[in-house]
Amino acid sequence: MYFQGCWLCLGLLFVSINAEFVDDGVEVEDLGGNSEETDNEGELSSQIKYKTPQPVGEVYFTETFDSGRLAGWVLSKAKKDDTDVEISIYDGRWEIEELKENRVPGDRGLVLKSRAKHHAISTVLAKPFIFADKPLILQYEVNFQDGIDCGGAYIKLLADTDDLTLENFYDKTSYTIMFGPDKCGEDYKLHFIFRHKHPKTGVFEEKHAKPPDVDLKQFFTDRKTHLYTLVMNPDDTFEVLIDQIVVNKGSLLEDVAPPINPPKEIEDPNDEKPDDWDERAKVPDPSAIKPEDWDESEPAQVEDLSVAKPAGWLDEEPKFIPDPNAEKPDDWNEDMDGEWEAPRISNPACRIGCGEWKPPMIDNPKYKGEWRPPMIDNPNYQGIWSPRKIPNPDYFEDDHPFLLTSFRALGLELWSMTSDIYFDNFIICSEKEVADRWAADGWGVKIMIANANEPGIFKQLIAAAEERPWLWFVYLVTAGLPIALIISFCWPRKVKKKYEDADYKKTDTCKAQTKGALEQEVEEKAALEKPVDLVEEKQQSDGEILEKEEEGEPEEKSEGEIEIIEGQEDSNKSNKSGSEDEMKAADESTGSGDGPVKSVRKRRVRKE
């Protein structure tokens, strides 16, 4: 039975290990070299037929870059204001390339190639977008192929103004919406900013949507292509999606800062606080009088007079002396280095202490400090002064902030410390179904290939352990502990039946018998051998024994009892005697005379 259980457990273990290696077989082979990995990826990519996405429905702008040309895109020739001349120009380089990893044959994108430079490129839409009764849907792809240290990948929808010139596109060019990821340091952001025009003053003010409630770090660090989508609805609501999952949503009226509508009242800028305004909540009690015994001259600490100067304290010796073993360096130049002085060391004579001795300071029990009257509530307290409120002359109420300034161009104006940021598949439309179909034909294919090329669990564990060597110990414990438990429970145990039987017999043979047990054994034997007519004699003898014990007469032990006790002592002295010798000694001690009968009778009387 043990062998069957053992083989069953080992069989299950073998099947599980074999299944794991079968699942990870492709990844294990990929470890052989980059060429094999590239061949496998190319073979997989060739199996997927990619077609350039085509919009199905009304769109305002689309761009796939699959043609390999920047047709319609304009590089900026402007310069940034308030910046050094060397870095003020937009001289960052752009290229159209395939992805570095998980390439899709025929699919290309716009790649930011320069680091630590300003980049600016823009293009005109097929037709301007006018905010009216249709939603705005903006969608595009981003891949931080080398990660990101500090930089952005957001886009700007440039306002439809008369002075818009794409060659002069720079950071202060008027825009309507700014949307996309941005990162610097450990601050990961997903911008959604729109510029709202004040209906009375005509001044544009930036409104920032509340930040998403999700951790954005993975989208910047996993080096995968992610899909960013902004949806603005005519009912003044918005949604922000990453990879078609909503990460932020809200109201244009309530979930932006600063709020769309200004306050109805503002503080009067011409109001001034009166000179007699009392803001003190507490004041000193004018009726309080300093106690006569209050001594303000006592110091906070005094010398401890109970401490005496230690014996051996040297008042005249300095704590530090010049090192007598030090010598002036041979290259010491007093004209340039000054007069040479030996380095100072602790005075060896100051084992107890040197210098002027002063007793330690302790807190003065008589110290009270400066007397101050207690504080009471100020009867003239008027509260904290604030300017009076007046009607806001610039107040307005915009119940429909969706009606923003129309835009007619799209631009990328970026600074990055990391190169090779990949952009692809821009679309601006008004129907979510159109954007979803566009995403399925472009981004969906990229994700399909990326998931197929995703390393198996075995390869991921090895990669993680290479970055964190302590994981090897975790793997060893995780894998070794179940195997050890299986072996300990399933391994057949040897049954030493022969030795167990021998031990049992030995224990049974050497077991010491008490006096009571021997007496009980004698009683049983006597009861079997005794004839029926001796019952009356036994009763009479019991009565005689009872009378003797009541009179207090000592009774003598019978020869049978003496022999029983002697046999018991011999049994306790030696545990090595055989079973035959003990049985013989027991037979001799019990005998067949009246002695044992009397002994048994005495035992019965005592129990009663």
Side-chain angles (χ1 to χ4, degrees), residues 269-465:
N270 300 320
D271 192 12
E272 296 181 358
K273 183 175 71 171
D275 296 335
D276 59 348
W277 189 274
D278 195 346
E279 293 182 341
R280 300 174 301 166
K282 297 282 187 179
V283 294
D285 186 358
S287 61
I289 301 175
K290 183 176 74 172
E292 296 180 357
D293 59 347
W294 192 281
D295 189 358
E296 297 181 352
S297 62
E298 288 288 341
Q301 288 189 325
V302 295
E303 295 180 348
D304 188 357
L305 302 179
S306 63
V307 179
K309 182 172 70 173
W313 187 280
L314 305 178
D315 295 277
E316 304 299 330
E317 287 286 338
K319 293 182 179 180
F320 298 95
I321 61 173
D323 186 358
N325 300 323
E327 297 180 358
K328 184 173 70 173
D330 296 336
D331 58 349
W332 188 273
N333 189 337
E334 293 188 356
D335 295 336
M336 298 181 61
D337 303 327
E339 183 180 359
W340 181 83
E341 294 182 357
R344 302 176 69 81
I345 62 173
S346 299
N347 191 346
C350 299
R351 294 188 300 271
I352 306 299
C354 294
E356 182 183 0
W357 181 84
K358 294 181 179 180
M361 304 296 289
I362 60 174
D363 294 335
N364 186 1
K366 299 180 181 179
Y367 172 75
K368 294 185 177 180
E370 180 183 0
W371 182 85
R372 294 179 180 177
M375 304 296 289
I376 60 173
D377 294 335
N378 184 3
N380 300 322
Y381 176 67
Q382 295 175 276
I384 303 300
W385 182 86
S386 60
R388 64 174 178 268
K389 299 288 185 179
I390 60 174
N392 185 358
D394 297 328
Y395 172 75
F396 67 90
E397 188 173 358
D398 185 354
D399 295 332
H400 200 19
F402 174 76
L403 302 178
L404 301 175
T405 303
S406 60
F407 60 89
R408 63 182 176 94
L410 178 148
L412 300 171
E413 189 267 319
L414 305 169
W415 162 274
S416 177
M417 294 300 296
T418 308
S419 60
D420 291 329
I421 301 177
Y422 178 93
F423 301 86
D424 199 5
N425 293 331
F426 292 88
I427 185 172
I428 299 176
C429 61
S430 295
E431 299 179 13
K432 190 64 167 59
E433 294 77 10
V434 175
D436 292 342
R437 178 64 180 273
W438 178 268
D441 294 342
W443 175 75
V445 177
K446 292 186 178 71
I447 293 302
M448 187 184 305
I449 293 179
N451 293 337
N453 293 332
E454 190 75 16
I457 185 64
F458 184 74
K459 190 173 182 179
Q460 291 182 22
L461 292 176
I462 292 178

